[in-house]
């Protein structure tokens, strides 16, 4: 058996691949062994005696299935967890997200003139103090404050009307 190390190395260099990817026709070993130049190897590649093997298929179907299952919450139990709860999702990150959501809501309400700047400031400080745990609770609080404010205004108007009536 003739060694075709040189030919394999030259072919790999020409085909831009590793030596393992180069296929030399076993029926044409004599003609390959006689070739010792890049020019000759190019000719053999053109004739199909030396071929670059195709890439191996690396299927992602299994990993795709696993990702889909994980998105549904499978494979996420206690036995699969390596880091602590804090390492997996820090409480600081959670706090920052919550603050951003609540502050964005307050800003939006102020711009839409659903709340005035004084109420905005009071609520902003309460949000910062951690009074509201989520958006729903904050919105409920805003509605409650607004109804209370409207009731106070109505009462003050009635009192004013009574005073005006009694003066006449």
């Amino acid at each position: 058996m003739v060694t075709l190390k040189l030919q394999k190395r030259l072919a790999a260099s020409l085909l831009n691949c590793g030596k393992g990817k180069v296929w030399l026709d076993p029926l044409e070993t004599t003609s390959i062994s006689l070739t010792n130049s890049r020019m000759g190897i190019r000719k053999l590649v053109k004739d199909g005696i030396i071929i670059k093997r195709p890439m191996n298929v690396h299927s992602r179907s299994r990993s795709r299935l696993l990702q889909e299952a994980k998105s549904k919450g499978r494979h996420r139990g206690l036995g699969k967890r390596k880091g602590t709860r804090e390492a997996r999702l820090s409480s600081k990150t959670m706090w920052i997200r919550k603050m951003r959501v609540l502050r964005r809501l307050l800003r939006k309400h102020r711009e839409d003139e659903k709340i005035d700047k004084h109420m905005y400031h009071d609520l902003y400080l309460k949000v910062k103090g951690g009074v509201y745990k989520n958006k729903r609770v904050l919105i409920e609080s805003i509605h409650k404050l607004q109804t209370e404010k409207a009731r106070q205004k109505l009462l003050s108007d009635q009192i004013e009307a009574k005073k005006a009536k009694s003066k006449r």
Side-chain angles (χ1 to χ4, degrees):
M1 181 76 197
V2 186
T3 59
L4 305 171
K5 249 182 166 178
L6 170 74
Q7 288 79 356
K8 196 161 232 191
R9 181 177 61 77
L10 291 172
S13 174
L14 285 170
L15 297 171
N16 294 321
C17 64
K19 286 179 274 190
K21 278 269 183 265
V22 175
W23 179 82
L24 306 173
D25 192 345
L27 303 174
E28 300 287 339
T29 49
T30 51
S31 63
I32 294 171
S33 65
L34 293 171
T35 311
N36 60 2
S37 66
R38 284 173 183 272
M39 194 87 131
I41 298 292
R42 265 194 211 99
K43 189 175 178 304
L44 292 175
V45 168
K46 192 177 162 194
D47 295 342
I49 295 168
I50 297 176
I51 299 172
K52 181 180 178 180
R53 284 203 187 102
M55 291 288 285
N56 291 335
V57 175
H58 188 171
S59 174
R60 282 197 48 79
S61 62
R62 284 180 301 280
S63 71
R64 221 175 286 120
L65 274 171
L66 183 65
Q67 282 306 114
E68 194 180 329
K70 279 185 174 180
S71 73
K72 290 178 182 174
R74 318 288 189 265
H75 314 286
R76 295 278 195 192
L78 293 173
K80 288 286 182 183
R81 297 178 195 174
K82 290 283 186 182
T84 61
R85 181 194 289 158
E86 191 69 13
R88 286 164 67 84
L89 182 59
S90 73
S91 54
K92 182 177 180 177
T93 308
M94 292 286 283
W95 175 262
I96 289 169
R97 281 184 193 166
K98 188 168 91 171
M99 285 299 105
R100 284 177 181 167
V101 166
L102 297 178
R103 286 173 178 175
R104 195 180 303 125
L105 179 86
L106 283 176
R107 220 174 301 125
K108 191 164 174 253
H109 273 53
R110 185 183 60 185
E111 285 165 7
D112 297 344
E113 295 177 5
K114 290 180 181 175
I115 57 174
D116 62 338
K117 64 180 182 179
H118 305 293
M119 192 186 284
Y120 168 83
H121 186 65
D122 291 340
L123 290 170
Y124 187 93
L125 292 177
K126 283 183 179 176
V127 163
K128 186 183 178 184
V131 176
Y132 308 112
K133 68 174 185 175
N134 57 34
K135 205 167 155 179
R136 181 181 52 81
V137 174
L138 177 59
I139 291 171
E140 283 174 7
S141 176
I142 289 170
H143 288 315
K144 196 174 175 186
L145 285 168
Q146 283 174 334
T147 53
E148 184 65 32
K149 194 176 177 185
R151 203 172 65 83
Q152 287 290 334
K153 193 172 188 294
L154 187 72
L155 287 172
S156 65
D157 286 349
Q158 285 176 351
I159 292 167
E160 287 294 320
K162 276 185 182 178
K163 280 184 183 175
K165 196 175 184 184
S166 65
K167 280 185 181 177
R168 282 187 203 168

